[in-house]
Amino acid sequence: MKLFGQSLRATIFLVFVCGILYPVAVTAVGKLFFSGQANGTLVRGSNGQIVGSTLIAQGFKDPKYFHPRPSAAMTPDGSAAQPYDAAFSSASNLGPDNSAQIKAMTDAATAYRLENHLLPSALVPIDAVTASGSGLDPDISLANAYLQAPRIAEVRHINPDRVKALIKENTSKPQMGFLGTSRINVLRLNLALDKQP
Amino acid sequence: MIANDWIQIFFSLTMVVLISPLVGRYLAWIYQSHHLSLERTVYRLLNVDPEKEMTWKEYGGAIVVSNGLFFVAGFLVLWAQAILPLNPRHLSPLTAEVAFNTAASFVTNTNWQAYAGEAQLSNFSQMVAITFLMFVGANTGIAALVAIFRGFTRSGSATLGNYWSDFFRFLIRAFLPACFLMALVHVWQGSPQTFQTAVSSKTLEGASQTLIVGPVASLESVKNLGTNGGGFYNANGAHPYENPTPLTNTLEFLEMGVFTFSLPFFFGRMIGRPRQGQVLFIVIFSLYLAGLGVIEYSEKMPNPLLAHAAIEQQATPFQDGGNTEGKEVRLGITQTSLFSNTTIAATTGAVDGAMDSMNPLSVLVYLVHMFLNEEPGGKGVGFAGLLKEAILAVFLAGLMVGRTPEFLGKKIESREIKLSALSLLVTPLLVLGLTALSVVIPAGKSSMDNPGPHGFMEVLYAFASGNANNGSAMAGLNVSTPYYAILIGVEMILSRFLPLLPLLAMAGALAKKKTLPETSGTFKTDTSLFVVLLLGFMILFAALTFLPPLILGPLLEHLSILHGVSF
Amino acid sequence: MKQKEVQNYGMYMEATLQSLAMLNPAKLYRNPVMFIVEIGSILTTSMAIYSVMTHSGGTAFGAMISIWLWLTIGFANFAESLAELRGKAQASSLRSTRAETTARLVTPVGFSHVSGSELKKKDQFVVEAGEIIPTDGEILEGVASIDESAITGESAPVIRESGGDRSGVTGGTRVLAGSLRVSVSNNPGETFLDRMISLVEGANRQKSPNEIALTILLVGLTLIFLFVVAAIPAFSSYSGIKSSPTILIALLVCLIPTTIAGLLPAIGIAGIDRAFRANVIAKSGKAVEVAGDIDILLLDKTGTITFGNRQAVQFIPVAGVSEKEVARESYFASLSDETPEGKSIVLLAAPMLTLKTPPGGLVPIPFTPETRMSGADSVEGEIRKGAEDAVSAYAGSPFSSDIKEIISTIAKSGGTPLVVAKNKKPLGVIHLKDIIKPGLKERFARLRKMGVTTVMVTGDNPLTARAIAEEAGLDDFFAQAKPEDKMALIKKEQEKGRLVAMTGDGTNDAPSLAQADVALAMNSGTQAAKEAGNMVDLDSDPTKIIEVVEIGKQLLITRGALTTFSIANDVAKYFAILPAMFVVAYPQLKVLNIMGLATPESAVTSAIIFNALIIPALIPLALKGVSYRPVGASALLRRNLLIYGLGGILVPFVGIKLIDMALVLLHFT
């Protein structure tokens, strides 16, 4: 009985300290020093309207924008696909020997080539035909971006070299020189595109 | 592999090797020094006497009763989410079976998730149920481990220490401060930390997008430092809010390793044989390294089934390549391999890429890590499992040197063997039994997301994860059905406590024994020979127990892919 | 007991019959692993019979597997029976030596002649020169020289007498001279020999602690493999593979540790039997096993480390006296001295003397407790020899520093100084030395490598004790020990968690023998000592304990090695059977058939045949024991891990492949 009393007190104490006090303290200090990040690394448009977060992919479909990687985001019970829905992060969870998945990737590669006017023999970067782990991957590989550049230039009627220069400007190198990969943040690149005259 | 891959691997491994001994030393200090005044205040508040020594039964009782209440508290919060504060989205409560599964999962340090965090939990639940349970589940494991250590440090003693004192020392002196500090680092790198929940935005194309935020960073640090692994978001560490940069990815798997890889050093210091700690570290680190090698190789390997699709799978200066399905571009193959190998070895269960889309050889490594479940193992219990394996290996080897086997000066006799064997039975019984059941009955089969051996692996993985208190999943399997929610919930509780209590009993028996002086006839356990012996025993044993499902799962899938067979 | 080994076809026949009788499940359940094999055999046999009746095919394969499963149990039973029979044969050949003796039972009115086997405890009998002693007992009266060669194999007669520490007699030995009145120490059927016989008979055999621990581990492994095999049908069914119950049972039997489970009883019995062959009668299997575990060995100096007597090695004169003179006086002083020391003085002095005619009127003066000196009186005056203090008192004046130095030098070297004085004037000192038995140093070094600390217990002063301990190569010594000190020493070491072994023969050793973990009593010793010890050495050789330690270690090593071998074998069996189960449905798994076995049936059959044959193949090793080398624990483990661990993984790959090739040649596939 004494043990039960002690355990009950401990539970209440720990719920308060670990469940409430600790997150509150982190929030207070975090917001004080890193307010932008603490609120979700949001990006605001010229009118002050939130246009998204550089950390979260947007489902660009318009040919004038760079397209992100495929998204397999879906509702928690898997009943409905919700690609790029930031409220439902998910991967495809399909295995490498799943014939449906093999077919989907093959089809996606063909579609990618069509959309970007590539030769049927042109190799498609694998990140362009595979769904990301979160369904909200904000980045694409350099190869993926460079292959989309001619299409962007054509639709926007700007010099392809200008687009390539923008890609270069918006390339994130590996962090600290060696962590992670070189990559392009799609939202940032598209924002930069929109700023073009 | 490109140079950058080697640098990242070398850097990460060096960090583990450098940090672990220091943390081990710090942990030993925590448990070998006097109470702090802050701790005394807490004991007074809770009405406990930190000096009261407990027998293994009292200690085990305290674990069971306190964890029972932690579980109830967590369950109630999840189940009553709708009427609790901080729920502006009016999320409905979890179903009773998923709430049960979740509370069981988090109190056992498993962090199996049969729910999608951002879609189903309010910020209040994420804090008061999830974050709270993450702290206490991990902390219980450490306390239990310290009690088991005392089986070796004590001689002729009937008791194993005081549970409350063991619990709060770690929490106050290591766990909470480390979580607080790392949470701020996560905020700095981009993890949200706010009590807001939904942010509406208008995308460049004019569509509306709802960003889900909340107290993510504070959950993130305890998720990894406590080898918990339950994410704020469904995609876990793959979600850019949980793991915004390659740096956070590196920090996250180092967080998972910092307390777990330090346990052997901690143990060595506690028993006054630092060399023994180093040797045990080498054992778990070898398995960790071998696993990393296979995963990195396997994930970089091009998929022969895609040979005709004209897809560039190799690494080039313009892409990282490899098996990118379910992985994030910013992390790439190497960061994901490092993360996934650590999360399984340390039984965290956090993922930064979809386990279900990994290549079969990687899944083979994950499964073997989980079957071994003692390298370095989850908070405490995994390492205790390593000690159990060491005892069994020493028993066989000890006979071969012609003496009643001794481990660290304690004679290994029939009681220890009985308790070790009892603890050893749990994993095969639960994993093989539940998998066998679920791959034949419709309730089990209907949840599979992939056909063929991959579907089999999803189920095997689920029960292996629940058993190892790991918590990662091949997430295609739909586990929010009542069948899986209840079965895995029960499995997690059994897997946590069934092996733990015999090990506590064994520690109780060992503490009673005299610690024997070493002679030249004693088999020394701090040698390279012991490393080979223990590794050999562990691998042989896991192989003998799990070879049939490993053949019908990952090996069959791997060989099928090589033969161009898809399912 | 150095008789020829009783090994003949009769014994093999009997072992075969006995192993058939042991198929009875009511007996076999004692060995849970084999019990499971039996259930499996019954199942596969029934299925084979069923397939014959229904003509459903696969009969030949089913019959083949069933036969080999039954053989597996048969071989295991045979191993146990053979070990039992060998032990029994040893014991009963010994027992037969005294079956037909008649005894003269002491009755209130005189004697009555009864059969030796009817004597009960506390009965008294009389035995005279030329007669065989009917049963074990303790001498109440008399002294006799006895020929114990019937049990010890030693032809030299021994002296047994009442009162002292050599009062025990053993049944079956012959009185050469003298007559004895003996009190019987055991009821019929309860002598050490009888206990020993029941120890090797399965019925009364108690499992030793390590054996229990190992059995638990084996049962645990068996349960795990039961789960493993039980899950396979479900896994197979998911993968669209049809599983055959016969193959599943074959797999189960291959995986569970049948090899060690089959040999475990034989190993235990053989250990006791090996002790028996070394002329040591163990009262329990545990005693032999614990001997392998001991940390400290207490050894009496006198009789164990040194011969029971000291010998003169040197005469050291004082200044102004010649060595020859000291030798001469010592010679005459000791001429009538019948003690071993006295004789050795005469022997040493004789070659140094030119003239051995004794001086006129030489009268020996015997040793008395009052003077503590002996010597001789003659016309030349008094010669006396004795310990320093005794002679000093006799001389009436303190010794010169010169002689004192000689004395202390001798004492420091572990010798005993004996001062010789003529007419109260010290002439010099005789150096008496303890003679250490040959070969001991090597044996102690061997013990040290086993991790056993050797401690000498002696009543000598620390100086002497140290010197002897160093010379004999002992680790430690305990000087000026009284009998009760030994007990305290044992308790102190046991407090520290150490296991202590000792040897003893006297009644005053009995409490210590009872306290020690391993106590080897000398057969020549008192009944009390024999009762208190847990082993009796028929040869009465105190250094025999070293052999017992090795036998104990060998017992443990054999168990560990065969267990490791048994478990390691499973790898190859998996690689034989699993591909056989799965490869038909999934040809891509063919790479797993690394042995390249011909067909699924031949693969399974080969594995099960190997599993059965390995038991009889290892019986000789189980009975003989894995050889023990005192090279230190790590080296020993490395060696055994290589042989039994790595070897255990590799051997079955070769064996199964060979059997498979044979099956193909014989068209069994």
Side-chain angles (χ1 to χ4, degrees), chain B residues 330-493:
Chain B
R330 65 190 175 284
L331 306 177
I333 298 295
T334 301
Q335 280 291 325
T336 312
S337 301
L338 278 163
F339 193 107
S340 69
N341 188 48
T342 316
T343 195
I344 305 290
T347 71
T348 308
V351 295
D352 69 347
M355 302 309 247
D356 216 341
S357 300
M358 297 285 180
N359 282 332
L361 287 184
S362 309
V363 179
L364 179 78
V365 171
Y366 304 146
L367 286 169
V368 171
H369 274 324
M370 288 193 285
F371 294 149
L372 293 170
N373 187 22
E374 46 270 306
E375 26 99 22
K379 272 288 161 297
V381 185
F383 188 74
L386 180 73
L387 294 178
K388 164 193 79 191
E389 299 258 346
I391 282 173
L392 289 172
V394 161
F395 177 73
L396 280 183
L399 286 178
M400 276 195 284
V401 301
R403 279 171 73 88
T404 294
E406 286 161 31
F407 184 49
L408 305 173
K410 300 287 190 177
K411 270 214 166 82
I412 308 301
E413 288 163 309
S414 53
R415 185 173 166 78
E416 288 73 40
I417 294 299
K418 198 184 293 172
L419 293 166
S420 302
L422 200 65
S423 163
L424 202 64
L425 287 175
V426 176
T427 297
L429 178 63
L430 289 176
V431 176
L432 296 172
L434 295 176
T435 306
L437 180 70
S438 303
V439 296
V440 290
I441 67 168
K445 280 172 90 169
S446 60
S447 280
M448 289 182 193
D449 190 42
N450 283 280
H454 203 83
F456 177 74
M457 281 149 71
E458 289 180 340
V459 175
L460 178 65
Y461 194 106
F463 290 111
S465 174
N467 172 261
N469 291 141
N470 183 292
S472 67
M474 291 176 76
L477 187 74
N478 177 12
V479 290
S480 57
T481 62
Y483 173 79
Y484 278 108
I486 293 169
L487 214 55
I488 296 178
V490 172
E491 186 203 14
M492 288 185 289
I493 293 175

Side-chain angles (χ1 to χ4, degrees), chain B residues 12-324:
Chain B
S12 311
L13 298 181
T14 310
M15 292 302 280
V16 171
V17 172
L18 288 182
I19 296 171
S20 306
L22 299 177
V23 178
R25 195 180 280 227
Y26 178 69
L27 289 178
W29 170 78
I30 290 181
Y31 284 98
Q32 288 171 337
S33 52
H34 294 290
H35 306 287
L36 304 180
S37 62
L38 177 62
E39 288 159 4
R40 287 186 197 282
T41 316
V42 172
Y43 301 139
R44 267 198 301 279
L45 213 58
L46 303 182
N47 191 25
V48 300
D49 173 10
E51 310 297 341
K52 190 191 168 289
E53 285 287 325
M54 296 176 170
T55 64
W56 79 264
K57 283 183 187 153
E58 291 168 328
Y59 206 105
I63 289 180
V64 170
V65 171
S66 61
N67 277 260
L69 286 174
F70 299 156
F71 167 84
V72 169
F75 175 83
L76 288 178
V77 170
L78 294 169
W79 196 49
Q81 170 171 281
I83 55 165
L84 290 168
L86 287 178
N87 187 7
R89 287 191 282 157
H90 305 293
L91 297 167
S92 48
L94 297 183
T95 61
E97 66 266 16
V98 173
F100 158 77
N101 178 289
T102 306
S105 161
F106 280 79
V107 84
T108 58
N109 194 232
T110 312
N111 289 225
W112 177 261
Q113 291 173 289
Y115 63 92
E118 70 269 52
Q120 288 174 282
L121 290 193
S122 69
N123 283 346
F124 189 82
S125 299
Q126 295 274 26
M127 288 158 56
V128 177
I130 301 298
T131 307
F132 156 71
L133 285 175
M134 280 180 168
F135 271 105
V136 296
N139 228 312
T140 302
I142 287 285
L145 182 66
V146 172
I148 289 168
F149 283 0
R150 294 207 180 96
F152 294 97
T153 57
R154 295 190 172 182
S155 182
S157 159
T159 57
L160 294 174
N162 182 283
Y163 168 68
W164 300 110
S165 156
D166 292 341
F167 187 97
F168 281 100
R169 276 167 186 246
F170 179 69
L171 183 73
I172 291 172
R173 295 193 215 179
F175 203 15
L176 257 176
C179 288
F180 182 77
L181 194 70
M182 289 316 294
L184 292 178
V185 176
H186 288 293
V187 180
W188 166 54
Q189 282 293 303
S191 282
Q193 180 68 25
T194 171
F195 294 116
Q196 273 186 292
T197 172
V199 178
S200 303
S201 71
K202 205 125 206 108
T203 67
L204 293 190
E205 292 187 345
S208 59
Q209 187 184 35
T210 307
L211 302 167
I212 306 296
V213 291
V216 179
S218 58
L219 185 147
E220 198 60 27
S221 61
V222 64
K223 166 183 121 181
N224 297 306
L225 281 163
T227 67
N228 286 292
F232 192 95
Y233 299 96
N234 186 41
N236 206 302
H239 198 289
Y241 273 159
E242 284 204 28
N243 191 1
T245 63
L247 177 63
T248 55
N249 192 71
T250 305
L251 289 175
E252 285 181 20
F253 68 74
L254 289 177
E255 285 168 15
M256 297 175 204
V258 67
F259 288 127
T260 41
F261 275 113
S262 67
L263 293 180
F265 297 104
F266 174 31
F267 180 61
R269 296 250 154 217
M270 286 287 277
I271 59 170
R273 301 177 192 224
R275 218 181 118 87
Q276 184 69 55
Q278 291 159 15
V279 160
L280 289 171
F281 174 79
I282 292 172
V283 170
I284 60 179
F285 198 65
S286 318
L287 289 166
Y288 176 79
L289 274 185
L292 181 64
V294 175
I295 298 169
E296 177 82 8
Y297 163 79
S298 152
E299 291 306 311
K300 289 242 161 190
M301 195 179 79
N303 186 345
L305 295 174
L306 289 172
H308 305 294
I311 293 170
E312 178 59 87
Q313 302 190 58
Q314 303 285 0
T316 71
F318 296 99
Q319 72 160 16
D320 192 50
N323 174 18
T324 57

Side-chain angles (χ1 to χ4, degrees), chain B residues 392 395-406 411-415 417-418 421 424-425 428-429 431-433 435-437 439-440 445 448 450-456 460 514-517 519-524 527 529 532-533 537 540-541 543-549 551-552 555-556 559-560 563 565 567, chain C residues 209-210 212-214 216-217 220-221 223-225 227-228 230-232 234-239 241 255 289 292-295 448-453 494-499 552-553 556-561 563-564 567-568 570-571 574-575 578 582 586 588-589 591-592 628 632-634 636-638 640-641 644 649:
Chain B
L392 289 172
F395 177 73
L396 280 183
L399 286 178
M400 276 195 284
V401 301
R403 279 171 73 88
T404 294
E406 286 161 31
K411 270 214 166 82
I412 308 301
E413 288 163 309
S414 53
R415 185 173 166 78
I417 294 299
K418 198 184 293 172
L424 202 64
L425 287 175
L429 178 63
V431 176
L432 296 172
T435 306
L437 180 70
V439 296
V440 290
K445 280 172 90 169
M448 289 182 193
N450 283 280
H454 203 83
F456 177 74
L460 178 65
K514 294 264 161 41
T515 303
L516 306 173
T519 73
S520 63
T522 318
F523 166 48
K524 298 204 176 28
T527 60
L529 182 64
V532 174
L533 171 77
F537 179 81
L540 183 72
F541 192 76
L544 292 180
T545 316
F546 294 105
L547 204 55
I551 288 180
L552 289 176
L555 277 173
L556 176 59
L559 292 169
S560 299
H563 282 79
V565 179
F567 289 87
Chain C
N210 269 313
I212 293 171
L214 191 53
I216 292 170
L217 183 64
L221 285 173
L223 278 174
I224 288 175
F225 289 128
F227 302 154
V228 170
I232 290 180
F235 298 164
S236 303
S237 133
Y238 170 84
S239 311
I241 302 166
L255 291 180
E289 191 179 288
D293 262 356
I294 61 155
D295 303 290
R448 194 168 304 115
K449 281 195 183 141
M450 293 178 198
V452 179
T453 308
Q494 284 174 336
E495 282 288 297
K496 289 190 224 155
R498 292 187 168 111
L499 293 178
K553 287 194 177 296
L556 296 179
I557 293 175
T558 308
R559 275 198 203 124
T563 307
T564 308
I567 297 171
D570 281 0
V571 177
Y574 253 141
F575 277 100
L578 288 182
F582 303 145
Y586 294 104
Q588 57 265 49
L589 289 177
V591 290
L592 295 178
Y628 174 76
S634 288
L636 192 63
L637 180 67
R638 195 173 305 122
N640 285 335
L641 268 183
Y644 300 98
I649 292 178

Side-chain angles (χ1 to χ4, degrees), chain A residues 100-114:
Chain A
Q101 162 75 353
I102 301 294
K103 183 171 181 307
M105 285 171 76
T106 313
D107 293 349
T110 311
Y112 185 90
R113 277 187 287 264
L114 274 177

